[in-house]
Amino acid sequence: MESLQSSLKQWTKNKNIQQQLDEARTALLQDPFVSKALQQFDEVSEEMVEQGLMKLYEYKKELHHCSECPGLSKCPNMMQGYQPKLTVVRGTLDLSYQACSKKEQHDKEKQERQLIKSFYVPKEILSATFDSLDDISEREEASRRALSFAMEARPGEDGDGLYFYGKFGVGKTHLMGAIANELREKGIQTFLVYTPDFFREMKQSIGDGSFQKKLDMVKQAEVLILDDIGAETISGWIRDDVLGAILQHRMLEKLPTLFTSNYDYDELEDHLSYSDKGGIEELKAKRIMERIKHFTTFVTVEGDNRRRR
């Protein structure tokens, strides 16, 4: 027969466990995330709460992870990149999950890169920041212009962009990468495309039926960076139906376009005037250049060739 002392010890132990459970329940229901979620429903009975304690605990834990988000790649939630939403299903508390803003942005960028391969740029450009820029006096003015644009960009309200001109390897694309990453931190959608590859891809996309979708994506980007314009093999169709259509839409919608080139304005106009069918089409080239000149500030990027270091 069990001794009275043993029974008392077990009773005391069970009592402490129940006290801990009660305290944990109270703390759970007082949690700001949980209490706010429960308030959205007209009626939540005690029975619903008791049956849904595990769901409420999961909801609390996951949302606290989100409030201290370490980034999508380190997301500690059960489903990486997803946030819980408290629901009531047939009188029972339940959870549904939806992608967080970081997950949505990541998936969107992934789809865009899969659609337009020329979005791929060197890794050092993808990770470029203003803090990582070389402190070289020759590029001081270009760096200042780039930072000013990144801090003040207002797509849809101000369509003015930049035209970075300079020799091969002086860091024009690196500056644009810093702009793109700064804008991304501010939630501004930025497409940085390598222009020669992009134009080739647009020509090939006619055959697979993706031309219009790709063209619309680039036309409608909040900020567009056309890297190394002038390095492409030009044709009348590329100039008028691709580049011309993109710039016309962006001009009307006040969406900034930025350029890098080894050509200055006059040299780019000469390049655009040549037709693959032979002859020179100065008027059509001039129309394109008027749009570029009117909506960009010309910036000379000087310095040594970074790629020879």
Side-chain angles (χ1 to χ4, degrees):
M1 185 176 178
E2 188 178 28
S3 68
L4 178 60
Q5 184 178 8
S6 177
S7 298
L8 286 172
K9 285 182 178 179
Q10 186 64 38
W11 179 80
T12 302
K13 181 179 179 181
N14 291 339
K15 184 177 179 182
N16 289 338
I17 291 175
Q18 186 59 50
Q19 182 179 351
Q20 292 173 12
L21 289 174
D22 290 341
E23 290 174 352
R25 179 184 183 279
T26 300
L28 174 64
L29 297 180
Q30 290 178 347
D31 180 84
F33 289 123
V34 174
S35 61
K36 183 178 180 179
L38 290 173
Q39 290 172 12
Q40 68 182 303
F41 303 111
D42 293 333
E43 292 185 8
V44 177
S45 65
E46 285 293 324
E47 183 180 1
M48 289 171 61
V49 170
E50 289 300 324
Q51 293 178 348
L53 285 176
M54 291 305 298
K55 294 289 185 182
L56 291 174
Y57 175 75
E58 180 181 329
Y59 179 80
K60 169 194 171 183
K61 183 180 70 172
E62 300 280 88
L63 274 195
H64 275 280
H65 288 161
C66 294
S67 69
E68 301 174 356
C69 178
L72 184 60
S73 63
K74 297 180 180 179
C75 175
N77 283 358
M78 288 191 298
M79 292 192 294
Q80 193 174 64
Y82 287 83
Q83 292 178 318
K85 180 180 179 181
L86 191 64
T87 61
V88 173
V89 179
R90 294 188 293 274
T92 303
L93 293 176
D94 202 357
L95 296 179
S96 62
Y97 277 82
Q98 58 190 21
C100 68
S101 59
K102 287 185 174 62
K103 172 68 173 172
E104 290 177 342
Q105 182 65 25
H106 173 269
D107 290 347
K108 183 178 180 181
E109 291 177 358
K110 184 178 179 180
Q111 290 173 357
E112 290 164 352
R113 288 196 171 98
Q114 288 175 339
L115 182 63
I116 300 184
K117 301 299 186 294
S118 51
F119 282 167
Y120 286 109
V121 292
K123 290 183 179 179
E124 65 268 21
I125 302 304
L126 290 174
S127 60
T129 65
F130 285 103
D131 290 336
S132 68
L133 295 179
D134 293 339
D135 185 18
I136 297 177
S137 59
E138 290 93 336
R139 285 194 285 272
E140 183 177 346
E141 174 65 11
S143 298
R144 186 182 66 79
R145 292 277 189 178
L147 180 58
S148 178
F149 175 86
M151 299 302 294
E152 299 173 5
R154 291 176 291 121
E157 299 179 32
D158 183 353
D160 291 345
L162 299 170
Y163 187 101
F164 278 8
Y165 159 74
K167 297 177 182 178
F168 177 82
V170 295
K172 302 184 297 295
T173 305
H174 197 83
L175 283 166
M176 290 297 182
I179 292 174
N181 286 320
E182 182 69 26
L183 292 175
R184 189 175 291 113
E185 290 294 320
K186 295 170 62 179
I188 295 177
Q189 177 198 48
T190 306
F191 284 2
L192 194 162
V193 299
Y194 180 60
T195 308
D197 283 353
F198 171 66
F199 285 156
R200 278 195 294 271
E201 191 169 342
M202 291 303 292
K203 187 175 182 179
Q204 295 168 359
S205 69
I206 295 176
D208 62 24
S210 64
F211 172 80
Q212 193 59 50
K213 186 174 183 180
K214 291 178 179 180
L215 184 66
D216 288 343
M217 284 175 57
V218 176
K219 284 166 58 175
Q220 296 166 11
E222 289 183 282
V223 174
L224 172 64
I225 300 173
L226 293 176
D227 184 38
D228 212 6
I229 190 168
E232 71 284 342
T233 300
I234 199 66
S235 70
W237 178 76
I238 286 291
R239 179 194 60 216
D240 302 331
D241 296 330
V242 179
L243 181 60
I246 290 171
L247 296 181
Q248 177 68 12
H249 176 86
R250 300 186 64 77
M251 178 183 70
L252 294 175
E253 297 299 322
K254 296 185 178 180
L255 299 173
T257 307
L258 289 72
F259 304 82
T260 74
S261 184
N262 296 332
Y263 291 162
D264 62 21
Y265 283 154
D266 292 336
E267 290 169 333
L268 182 60
E269 184 172 330
D270 288 342
H271 171 74
L272 294 174
S273 68
Y274 285 95
S275 170
D276 56 338
K277 296 180 180 179
I280 298 177
E281 298 176 324
E282 294 181 354
L283 183 58
K284 291 183 177 180
K286 192 173 292 292
R287 286 174 180 166
I288 297 291
M289 287 308 304
E290 284 303 311
R291 295 170 189 166
I292 294 176
K293 290 178 181 179
H294 187 72
F295 286 98
T296 60
T297 298
F298 187 88
V299 181
T300 300
V301 185
E302 300 177 339
D304 296 329
N305 190 332
R306 294 161 52 95
R307 301 176 191 179
R308 291 179 180 173
R309 296 179 184 178

